[in-house]
Amino acid sequence: MSDENKVEETSVEERNAIAAAKQKERLEKETKLQDKGPFAGLTKRNEDYVYRLNSILKDSKINDEKRNTVISEIVAELRTEQHKGVTATKLYGPVSTKATDIIMGPQKKAAEPTSSFWLTALDNGLMMLLIFAGMYGVMGLMSKTSTQAETTGAGGLLTLLITSILGGIGAALFYKKYGPNVKKEDKPAFWVTLLVFVAFIAVWIFAYMLVALIPGPLNALLPAPVYLVIALIAFAVRIYVKRRYNINRTMF
């Protein structure tokens, strides 16, 4: 080996040794426990984190009592956790994020949309009731015989309720099998989906026609204003149910 190669090899080894020594020194400084000040017992890295956090809180509108309490709790927790190799950033996230959480308070997580089959059916059933009752009410107001409770094309109250219930259940079944939360590989083939949809519409229409034949006061035709009142009640109940149970499995 030539003298030139020996010098080059020695130089590389020296540079590596110097870099390793500097890294070791830096790590020793960061992990060395502070023995003075309000953050005594913390590593240099954790002390810097708490110092910056405390500075941000001082500049905010948070009162000194709350700030001191929070900082004391954080220091106490870090003194315990840092022995496991946990840093403040790993435990609390970035300083700015932690400061925002303290100042603004913990943010409420959005409620998960309901997956209840029957709540989904109820919501969709109310939607059907709203649509059909509103449609019958408008048609009744436009009909000359509406004052005699002979609303053209409208179904009686029982017909309206039964078809709305069936529609709600059918929509809930659809979302259970074909909804956006269902994995693509779990969804039936397109032709199966189309066949099921057509079959459901046929059953729904048949049920409407069958129930409409049932006589009696419960299935009597209603005045147009009554249909509109039913539509308004269905709308109000549906809004309450959607907000109360966070339902989103509907067309609108």
Side-chain angles (χ1 to χ4, degrees):
M1 183 180 292
S2 64
D3 293 340
E4 183 178 348
N5 289 337
K6 288 182 179 180
V7 172
E8 184 178 352
E9 183 177 343
T10 303
S11 177
V12 171
E13 291 177 350
E14 288 178 349
R15 287 199 296 270
N16 290 339
I18 292 172
K22 287 182 177 180
Q23 184 176 5
K24 182 179 179 181
E25 182 181 358
R26 179 177 63 81
L27 290 174
E28 287 178 349
K29 287 182 179 180
E30 289 183 348
T31 57
K32 181 180 179 181
L33 298 181
Q34 306 303 302
D35 54 4
K36 295 180 180 179
F39 310 137
L42 298 181
T43 63
K44 180 64 177 177
R45 181 183 297 180
N46 288 341
E47 180 198 32
D48 178 66
Y49 183 99
V50 179
Y51 176 81
R52 289 185 289 130
L53 176 62
N54 190 48
S55 297
I56 295 174
L57 295 180
K58 277 185 177 180
D59 295 335
S60 70
K61 295 181 179 180
I62 189 172
N63 61 67
D64 291 341
E65 182 179 355
K66 181 179 179 180
R67 175 176 57 82
N68 291 331
T69 300
V70 170
I71 293 298
S72 297
E73 291 174 351
I74 290 175
V75 170
E77 187 173 15
L78 285 174
R79 284 172 181 158
T80 301
E81 296 297 326
Q82 67 188 5
H83 293 298
K84 305 173 187 176
V86 178
T87 63
T89 302
K90 185 176 181 180
L91 190 60
Y92 304 118
V95 177
S96 58
T97 302
K98 181 60 177 177
T100 301
D101 290 342
I102 295 171
I103 296 169
M104 305 299 294
Q107 301 298 309
K108 293 182 178 179
K109 293 183 179 180
E112 290 293 327
T114 183
S115 58
S116 169
F117 173 84
W118 291 111
L119 283 175
T120 303
L122 173 62
D123 182 56
N124 282 278
L126 288 169
M127 180 181 67
M128 299 292 179
L129 181 61
L130 165 63
I131 292 173
F132 284 104
M135 180 178 67
Y136 294 159
V138 172
M139 290 171 58
L141 291 177
M142 296 173 63
S143 173
K144 294 181 180 180
T145 58
S146 62
T147 55
Q148 301 175 10
E150 297 176 359
T151 308
T152 305
L157 180 60
L158 184 62
T159 304
L160 186 62
L161 291 176
I162 295 298
T163 52
S164 296
I165 291 171
L166 290 177
I169 294 175
L173 287 171
F174 174 85
Y175 279 103
K176 184 177 180 179
K177 293 291 185 181
Y178 309 100
N181 295 328
V182 180
K183 294 181 180 179
K184 186 176 181 180
E185 57 269 22
D186 294 334
K187 293 181 179 181
F190 175 76
W191 68 270
V192 175
T193 304
L194 183 61
L195 184 63
V196 170
F197 180 76
V198 172
F200 172 73
I201 294 298
V203 171
W204 194 28
I205 293 174
F206 177 76
Y208 174 85
M209 296 174 63
L210 190 64
V211 178
L213 297 176
I214 299 175
L218 288 179
N219 206 24
L221 296 179
L222 303 173
V226 175
Y227 282 114
L228 293 178
V229 170
I230 293 173
L232 289 174
I233 293 174
F235 175 77
V237 173
R238 183 168 184 262
I239 291 296
Y240 170 78
V241 171
K242 285 184 72 70
R243 292 179 178 176
R244 174 67 177 81
Y245 298 104
N246 194 25
I247 302 172
N248 65 356
R249 292 184 173 187
T250 48
M251 291 181 286
F252 58 87

